[in-house]
Amino acid sequence: MDDKRIAEVNRSFNARKKEREAKVVARRAEIYAKLPRIKEIDDAIWAGGLAMMSAVWAGESPESVVAQYAARTEAGVSEKRALLVRAGYPADYLEPPYTCVHCKDTGKVGDKLCSCYLSLLTEALYQESNMGQLLRAQTFQKFDLRVYDTEPVPGKAISPRENMKTIFSVCKNYAEQFGKHHDSLILYGNPGLGKTFLSSAIANTLLEKGFSVLYQSAGQVFDTLASVRFGRNDEAADHLLKHQLMQADLLIIDDLGTEFINSMTEADLFYVINGRILAEKCTIISTNMHLPDISRQYSDRILSRILGHYTPLYFYGTDIRSLG
């Protein structure tokens, strides 16, 4: 989990705490001015706490001293609440609510991270991942194997549905075991068979676990590297995205082969693929090309790196989008 994202979430929690503290100070000043008796009660409670500690240090029974202090404090709190209500305020006006009642804006419940903290972290990861709302909705739970043909395809040993059962199992296990391996995948075959959906399902699972994911079309990857090379856009932003391309826990390159091809494309693709292999970073490539097409469109050395380090998953059958 990236320290920068954790720091961003921690800043959000610190802002929550400061906002509540400021509200407490403002409300206390307001009430003390309108209801001086409440300030007297608070001063007495504070003084009683000091007296309790002095009594314990002097040798009095801690149990007896604490019980007496608790009784006086409870009586004082009850009187404060009654005074507030009589003045037209909520009884808990001096106790503004926390954003999260479970962790009281600390981010932890006991020694575990609170669900509110994990939600903020997940949202930060989603924002950085480049995954839109459509991709967020594509999860393993929503993947429907029933849309695939059960009839065998000429030249294939099993039906498209049986093939997809295997691919689905591989992808789900890949996501579940992520962090224990450095494996990469290439999802290839005809369009409209679920390659983007399963890539998104993997990404959503990893984001929920706190891994960093960057989802880019092949065109976006090459545009980013070209912008860095030629300084076309904001330099800091471009270099940050280049860093993410190489350092994200998972990089998903979608629709390889649909981008505009130029003299630098092959070099840039090799740079990303080879760099991430050397850094032991995982990558998923989805493409409508078949493996020999990659060699023809790019180079043998790129195909060699893919075949040597990626698990190939071949999609075949009828375009399922035509069934909707």
Side-chain angles (χ1 to χ4, degrees):
M1 199 175 293
D2 193 294
D3 289 343
K4 178 174 71 70
R5 279 179 287 273
I6 293 175
E8 289 172 356
V9 173
N10 287 342
R11 281 195 292 272
S12 295
F13 272 82
N14 287 334
R16 286 182 181 183
K17 288 191 285 186
K18 287 181 179 178
E19 182 180 355
R20 184 179 184 276
E21 288 167 1
K23 191 175 289 186
V24 169
V25 169
R27 290 187 178 185
R28 188 178 292 147
E30 174 193 357
I31 293 302
Y32 283 178
K34 291 184 177 180
L35 302 170
R37 172 57 186 158
I38 288 182
K39 185 178 187 306
E40 293 175 4
I41 294 170
D42 282 344
D43 288 345
I45 290 173
W46 183 78
L50 293 178
M52 175 186 66
M53 290 186 287
S54 297
V56 171
W57 291 335
E60 294 188 34
S61 166
E63 292 80 4
S64 174
V65 171
V66 169
Q68 292 173 30
Y69 175 72
R72 287 194 297 269
T73 299
E74 185 178 348
V77 169
S78 296
E79 184 182 351
K80 280 171 53 178
R81 286 174 168 262
L83 288 168
L84 286 168
V85 170
R86 281 201 296 272
Y89 291 94
D92 59 355
Y93 185 70
L94 292 173
E95 305 159 21
Y98 294 97
T99 303
C100 177
V101 297
H102 302 295
C103 69
K104 295 185 177 178
D105 296 345
T106 64
K108 284 190 173 184
V109 178
D111 60 350
K112 294 183 178 180
L113 291 175
C114 183
S115 59
C116 72
Y117 185 97
L118 294 173
S119 294
L120 273 182
L121 182 58
T122 299
E123 184 58 32
L125 290 166
Y126 266 113
Q127 291 297 326
E128 196 171 82
S129 72
N130 195 43
M131 293 185 67
Q133 290 299 321
L134 177 61
L135 297 180
R136 290 195 193 195
Q138 296 177 338
T139 64
F140 287 116
Q141 292 77 12
K142 294 181 180 178
F143 192 79
D144 189 358
L145 286 165
R146 295 172 299 177
V147 300
Y148 293 91
D149 292 334
T150 56
E151 295 299 319
V153 173
K156 307 300 177 188
I158 58 176
S159 70
R161 185 178 295 182
E162 288 301 313
N163 182 53
M164 286 307 303
K165 282 183 181 178
T166 300
I167 290 175
F168 178 85
S169 178
V170 170
C171 290
K172 196 166 188 294
N173 184 67
Y174 180 91
E176 290 172 349
Q177 298 300 314
F178 198 88
K180 301 177 183 178
H181 62 74
H182 304 298
D183 302 337
S184 293
L185 304 175
I186 179 164
L187 285 53
Y188 72 101
N190 293 337
L193 292 173
K195 296 187 291 295
T196 295
F197 195 113
L198 285 176
S199 297
S200 300
I202 292 171
N204 282 310
T205 300
L206 300 194
L207 288 166
E208 292 291 340
K209 290 183 174 184
F211 291 103
S212 59
V213 176
L214 181 61
Y215 198 110
Q216 297 269 282
S217 69
Q220 288 173 315
V221 171
F222 298 127
D223 283 348
T224 295
L225 295 175
S227 292
V228 172
R229 185 183 303 112
F230 300 115
R232 293 199 302 243
N233 299 316
D234 178 78
E235 183 177 359
D238 284 338
H239 280 278
L240 174 60
L241 187 49
K242 181 182 177 182
H243 174 79
Q244 291 173 315
L245 280 174
M246 304 311 295
Q247 296 301 320
D249 294 324
L250 176 66
L251 170 65
I252 298 177
I253 304 176
D254 196 27
D255 275 342
L256 182 69
T258 60
E259 73 283 353
F260 176 75
I261 303 296
N262 58 42
S263 60
M264 298 302 300
T265 304
E266 188 269 340
D268 285 342
L269 182 58
F270 184 81
Y271 167 78
V272 172
I273 289 175
N274 194 57
R276 290 186 63 83
I277 289 171
L278 294 176
E280 296 188 326
K281 295 293 185 179
C282 301
T283 307
I284 294 177
I285 296 174
S286 74
T287 178
N288 295 335
M289 296 188 293
H290 289 238
L291 296 183
D293 300 329
I294 295 176
S295 178
R296 286 192 292 269
Q297 185 148 324
Y298 300 102
S299 69
D300 287 336
R301 68 171 185 162
I302 286 179
L303 181 59
S304 174
R305 297 302 275 165
I306 289 174
L307 292 178
H309 295 274
Y310 286 59
T311 298
L313 299 175
Y314 178 38
F315 290 63
Y316 59 80
T318 304
D319 187 336
I320 60 174
R321 295 174 300 187
S322 65
L323 304 177

